[in-house]
Amino acid sequence: MSIEQNLHNIQQQINQYQTPRTVSLLAVSKTKPFSDILAAYHAGQYQFGENYVQEGVEKIQQAQQQNIKDITWHLIGPLQSNKTRLVAEHFDWVQTIDRFKIAERLSQQRPSHLVPLQILIQINISDENSKSGIQPEQLFELAAQIVQLPNIQLRGLMAIPAPTTDPAQQKKAFAQMATLFQQLQQRYPQLPIDTLSMGMSDDMPSAIESGSTMVRIGTAIFGKRN
């Protein structure tokens, strides 16, 4: 099936589960060639997620060379200190903030001619040693530090729960995220806290039913990775 058809099918699924709120689709294009991104773009997809900084920057530059200016680029992989400048100079969103030091560097290194970098705090909701993200009880301390920084804008939360095929287990983790998201909105009513990024190819329905506003889909759009 074509990328265009896959996008159409996923959008139909999103619409099927969607409540009155808008759920946006982030196409996860890591390890996929720029030609696949172009195919999705021409099919009406404008938001792309990359896991690896260098690979993402190369694709962003390819888009610029083709004078494509309306793609929004999200970093959805872990970010080390030595890569913050590249991210600050090229990406639009970072979904994986779990340390103040990284947020501070991004704020300092964001070029003044660009709009603020949009930020999500990553929560390690299933308490997995292998996963990045902060513990839920650390959220408000980190958020209070981040909202003081210029050149970045806190927009919400992101999580990658432990993989399970049990919808009840999926929804349990997602419900915890939804509660944290609502608490963050209540804490900062003056800020555009509007993005709860959770749900991937295997757990998208549970995520949407639990309050996700953005799902991150890769395999179901572009096929299996090499």
Side-chain angles (χ1 to χ4, degrees), residues 125-138:
I125 199 63
S126 301
D127 195 20
E128 294 178 275
N129 292 334
S130 62
K131 292 255 175 78
S132 302
I134 59 170
Q135 296 300 308
E137 58 271 18
Q138 298 172 298

Side-chain angles (χ1 to χ4, degrees), residues 57 60-61 64 73 85-92 110-111 114:
V57 168
I60 292 167
Q61 290 172 334
Q64 290 168 342
W73 297 95
R85 183 174 296 280
L86 274 175
V87 172
E89 290 176 350
H90 291 90
F91 281 83
D92 304 299
R110 183 70 167 172
L114 295 179

Side-chain angles (χ1 to χ4, degrees), residues 13 18 45 48 60 69 71 73 81 90-92 107 110 117 141 162 174 181 186-187 195 207 211-212 226:
Q13 290 174 40
Q18 205 159 306
Q45 177 64 31
F48 292 88
I60 292 167
K69 296 176 179 170
I71 288 180
W73 297 95
S81 307
H90 291 90
F91 281 83
D92 304 299
S107 176
R110 183 70 167 172
L117 188 63
E141 181 185 353
F174 290 143
F181 181 59
Q186 290 161 3
R187 182 76 60 104
T195 304
S212 172
N226 298 333

Side-chain angles (χ1 to χ4, degrees), residues 5-24:
Q5 186 61 50
N6 290 342
L7 279 167
H8 176 73
N9 292 347
I10 292 161
Q11 198 58 61
Q12 281 194 316
Q13 290 174 40
I14 290 173
N15 295 344
Q16 173 188 339
Y17 294 107
Q18 205 159 306
T19 58
R21 74 179 179 281
T22 302
V23 178
S24 54

Side-chain angles (χ1 to χ4, degrees), residues 15-150:
N15 295 344
Q16 173 188 339
Y17 294 107
Q18 205 159 306
T19 58
R21 74 179 179 281
T22 302
V23 178
S24 54
L25 171 60
L26 184 69
V28 178
S29 43
K30 69 174 181 184
T31 77
K32 294 297 179 180
F34 184 69
S35 56
D36 282 5
I37 292 175
L38 267 186
Y41 172 77
H42 290 306
Q45 177 64 31
Y46 298 107
Q47 297 202 79
F48 292 88
E50 289 287 332
N51 287 62
Y52 309 115
V53 173
Q54 198 67 50
E55 180 190 346
V57 168
E58 287 170 10
K59 291 173 180 175
I60 292 167
Q61 290 172 334
Q62 285 179 282
Q64 290 168 342
Q65 286 161 9
Q66 301 209 16
N67 208 30
I68 297 171
K69 296 176 179 170
D70 51 351
I71 288 180
T72 302
W73 297 95
H74 297 244
L75 182 71
I76 58 171
L79 177 55
Q80 306 301 325
S81 307
N82 62 344
K83 297 280 179 69
T84 53
R85 183 174 296 280
L86 274 175
V87 172
E89 290 176 350
H90 291 90
F91 281 83
D92 304 299
W93 286 66
V94 179
Q95 297 204 8
T96 49
I97 296 298
D98 60 3
R99 282 178 290 158
F100 176 68
K101 175 187 171 186
I102 296 292
E104 188 176 40
R105 286 175 67 92
L106 290 170
S107 176
Q108 290 166 349
Q109 295 168 343
R110 183 70 167 172
S112 58
H113 69 276
L114 295 179
V115 299
L117 188 63
Q118 308 301 295
I119 295 291
L120 301 182
I121 294 174
Q122 183 174 357
I123 307 289
N124 187 349
I125 199 63
S126 301
D127 195 20
E128 294 178 275
N129 292 334
S130 62
K131 292 255 175 78
S132 302
I134 59 170
Q135 296 300 308
E137 58 271 18
Q138 298 172 298
L139 170 59
F140 296 108
E141 181 185 353
L142 181 57
Q145 295 174 308
I146 286 175
V147 298
Q148 300 300 320
L149 295 171

